[in-house]
Amino acid sequence: MYKTVRGLVLREVKYKESSKMLTLLTDEGKMAAEARGALRKGSRIGAASQQLCYSEMTVFENRGRRLITEAAVLEEFTGVRERWEDFALSAYIAEVLEAVALEGTGDPAMLRLGLNTLFALSRQFYPPEHIKAVFELRMLCLAGFTPEVERCSHCGAVTIEHPRLSLLGGAVHCAHCPPPVPGRSAILCPASLAALRHVAHASEKKIFSFTLDESAARHFDAACENFTLTQLDRGFPTLDYWKSAKG
């Protein structure tokens, strides 16, 4: 059976002599497919099967195996390929999406988040740390880990002067209140708490649209990263590499 899909290439692995196995994120969810002959010089599917390309592909599926027969690039996010640090960060974004996305479960919003994040990074609309943090938090929301950020989880206060984000409990609390689940909490400030609330609830077109001063940005970035690593219960080699690449 042949079908046409549009997918973001999350990962490519050399397969046999001249082919690649791809992990794609599509509207239909995560899927694996073979790009046969993609490594041959002059391959018609070579460019479209590169990691971080968003491509339209014709896929032949038989007995659970998928073979890409045709492919064309829709967006290659040229900007991230011109800056090594941005490419490293993009690889982290792809690794997180691969870890979270499910096979056979369509999630168009997750795909749009990945594409919008790479586009913002490619065009340098915001600092990379800002883009990364927004992606992490919104990705967790789409994956079912939306934190409770509207009021203190213990006393119910809406205005929290010294807020904290419980990394295990997924809720904010006052500094003098216990977290909903025992464990470490990330330090916030009023501005970084407002940013958490914005990213969690804004429309997908507006999630990146805010600014923070240097101190608030550090709190926001650290909270989003640590919340992601805690909730997913794993580390990411690409994240470590990006940190070393940017110095």
Side-chain angles (χ1 to χ4, degrees):
M1 180 181 69
Y2 288 90
K3 65 179 179 180
T4 300
V5 300
R6 291 187 171 191
L8 175 64
V9 181
L10 301 179
R11 182 158 59 102
E12 54 175 314
V13 178
K14 184 177 180 180
Y15 180 65
K16 296 183 178 179
E17 184 176 345
S18 60
S19 301
K20 295 190 289 187
M21 291 300 298
L22 306 182
T23 302
L24 309 172
L25 181 60
T26 75
D27 280 348
E28 301 175 15
K30 184 172 61 176
M31 68 169 59
E34 179 185 350
R36 186 173 296 173
L39 296 175
R40 292 195 187 111
K41 186 177 180 180
S43 170
R44 293 184 298 174
I45 64 173
S49 62
Q50 294 181 89
Q51 185 185 25
L52 303 178
C53 275
Y54 179 52
S55 304
E56 183 171 86
M57 302 177 176
T58 300
V59 179
F60 175 69
E61 186 170 357
N62 183 37
R63 297 180 181 180
R65 299 194 63 182
R66 302 181 184 93
L67 177 65
I68 298 169
T69 58
E70 297 180 28
V73 175
L74 298 174
E75 176 60 61
E76 56 184 340
F77 306 105
T78 305
V80 302
R81 301 175 192 279
E82 296 172 347
R83 299 176 294 274
W84 186 245
E85 302 95 311
D86 288 349
F87 188 82
L89 180 54
S90 298
Y92 166 65
I93 291 165
E95 189 178 15
V96 171
L97 288 171
E98 183 178 1
V100 172
L102 301 175
E103 295 186 22
T105 301
D107 193 347
M110 186 73 75
L111 175 59
R112 290 194 300 270
L113 174 63
L115 295 176
N116 290 339
T117 300
L118 293 174
F119 186 75
L121 188 60
S122 179
R123 298 297 181 92
Q124 296 183 297
F125 287 153
Y126 302 94
E129 293 81 6
H130 177 100
I131 294 171
K132 167 183 165 291
V134 171
F135 163 75
E136 288 169 330
L137 182 59
R138 188 67 167 211
M139 174 277 304
L140 287 176
C141 293
L142 294 176
F145 300 98
T146 304
E148 174 51 59
V149 294
E150 297 308 315
R151 59 185 69 247
C152 174
S153 59
H154 183 76
C155 71
V158 175
T159 302
I160 309 173
E161 293 185 2
H162 302 287
R164 303 288 189 272
L165 173 65
S166 171
L167 301 180
L168 281 172
V172 295
H173 62 95
C174 304
H176 58 269
C177 290
V181 176
R184 191 160 65 97
S185 293
I187 298 174
L188 298 171
C189 62
S192 55
L193 174 57
L196 288 178
R197 290 169 172 168
H198 172 83
V199 175
H201 301 300
S203 68
E204 63 183 28
K205 293 182 179 180
K206 296 181 178 180
I207 56 173
F208 295 100
S209 302
F210 61 92
T211 58
L212 295 170
D213 64 31
E214 185 176 347
S215 177
R218 284 198 304 270
H219 289 310
F220 176 68
D221 298 345
C224 292
E225 179 180 308
N226 290 320
F227 186 50
T228 297
L229 299 180
T230 301
Q231 291 296 314
L232 299 184
D233 193 25
R234 57 164 293 179
F236 293 89
T238 47
L239 175 60
D240 298 332
Y241 184 74
W242 171 68
K243 289 182 177 180
S244 66
K246 72 171 186 169

